[in-house]
Amino acid sequence: MERNFPEALKEHILRFLQFNRITRLDQLVDKVYLVFKNDYFPGETIILKGSILNGQTESGTRQRGTIKEKIQYSNPSDGLLTKYLVVRANDQKQAIVINEKISRDRNHFTKWLIKAFIK
């Protein structure tokens, strides 16, 4: 569990849990998963959906990267998406990516891992 769970997420999840009043573990795991599944934090390793070359996106490719920082926070009422500054692992170039174009590795953020981390 220690090896697979994202280190950058631990502090944020613990802060969320500190003031949460949900008593059932399964409900708490579901809530944590929903809150954090589309939110990424600096230092977190992610997967880019599609590569970005010269400002154009090529679909069908996947590459690893690391979140450097959040540039713009989402605001659903204005239709704004969260934007992140990402460093690509293969060439160390930086790109600004919206949250819909990135994801976590499926083996590193699951409800089972969240439950084990909370316990």
Side-chain angles (χ1 to χ4, degrees):
M1 200 282 303
E2 288 290 322
R3 186 172 44 108
N4 285 338
F5 201 74
E7 188 67 36
L9 256 168
K10 291 179 181 178
E11 178 184 349
H12 299 283
I13 288 177
L14 289 174
R15 277 197 189 137
F16 178 80
L17 294 173
Q18 182 177 5
F19 298 108
N20 205 304
R21 294 184 174 257
I22 298 174
T23 56
R24 291 187 46 128
L25 183 59
D26 59 336
Q27 290 176 344
L28 191 59
V29 168
D30 289 340
K31 180 74 171 176
V32 168
Y33 185 79
L34 287 174
V35 168
F36 291 98
K37 83 175 179 182
N38 291 321
D39 200 10
Y40 305 93
F41 299 96
E44 193 171 352
T45 301
I46 50 93
I47 298 172
L48 292 162
K49 300 175 191 173
S51 63
I52 302 168
L53 297 172
N54 300 326
Q56 296 183 358
T57 304
E58 293 179 10
S59 61
T61 60
R62 297 169 63 87
Q63 55 185 312
R64 292 201 175 276
T66 304
I67 301 288
K68 191 96 163 164
E69 65 181 287
K70 278 187 184 181
I71 295 177
Q72 178 182 5
Y73 291 84
S74 66
N75 187 352
S77 62
D78 293 340
L80 295 175
L81 297 172
T82 304
K83 292 183 181 178
Y84 298 93
L85 180 61
V86 176
V87 177
R88 296 184 298 197
N90 62 345
D91 60 3
Q92 299 301 314
K93 291 190 178 182
Q94 296 182 356
I96 296 174
V97 183
I98 60 173
N99 60 341
E100 293 175 343
K101 297 288 183 185
I102 57 179
S103 65
R104 288 186 181 95
D105 188 347
R106 290 182 185 169
N107 297 328
H108 293 270
F109 188 72
T110 63
K111 288 184 179 182
W112 183 86
L113 282 173
I114 294 169
K115 185 176 181 178
F117 175 69
I118 291 172
K119 283 183 176 182

